[in-house]
Amino acid sequence: MSPTHCPECRQPGRLVERITVKAMLRPTALARLSAPEHRFCPTAECPVVYFGMAEVFEREDVVVPVFQKERAGQRTVCYCFAVTEADLRREIAETGRSTATTVITQHVKAGRCACEVKNPQGRCCLGEVASATREAMAEAEGVASGAAAS
Ligand SMILES: [Zn+2]
């Protein structure tokens, strides 16, 4: 039986496709891939990215920084189209709004997403884009009201 909870942080992980694990592992990590299935650990403080039967792969084993495990601010939010938190903030600062969700949704509808091989969590980034956008908007509003008050 494959473990359902991360051996490090004891939190439940979500099953990911094998192609995702293969695409995301560095060559030395890929060379020791053996478990039949893997789960993604989303816990921010936990170094484990994928775990399977008697096997774990950590952040250093993965070719890209993992959104869930990086500090907020400069993270890549959409791996397919390389949208970063900095991009979200820049657009909001310039225009007061963010078009990222709309643009990415259009790409998804057009069948251009490659989440299963580009995003470490192996699924669409729209949830993360929405939360990062909310954070960036709140931050921009905080800066604006702070400036008005001083
Ligand atoms: Zn974990």
Side-chain angles (χ1 to χ4, degrees), residues 23-45:
M24 285 295 138
L25 292 182
R26 292 187 189 283
T28 51
L30 183 59
R32 60 183 174 86
L33 178 75
S34 65
E37 57 179 29
H38 295 83
R39 288 171 191 266
F40 176 83
C41 170
T43 307
E45 321 75 66

Side-chain angles (χ1 to χ4, degrees), residues 24 64 76-84 104 107-108 111-120 122-126 129:
M24 285 295 138
V64 291
T76 293
V77 188
C78 169
Y79 290 87
C80 298
F81 303 103
V83 178
T84 65
I104 295 166
H107 288 318
V108 172
R112 299 183 188 117
C113 267
C115 316
E116 71 275 23
V117 290
K118 291 197 168 178
N119 188 332
R123 63 167 186 188
C124 184
C125 64
L126 280 170
V129 172

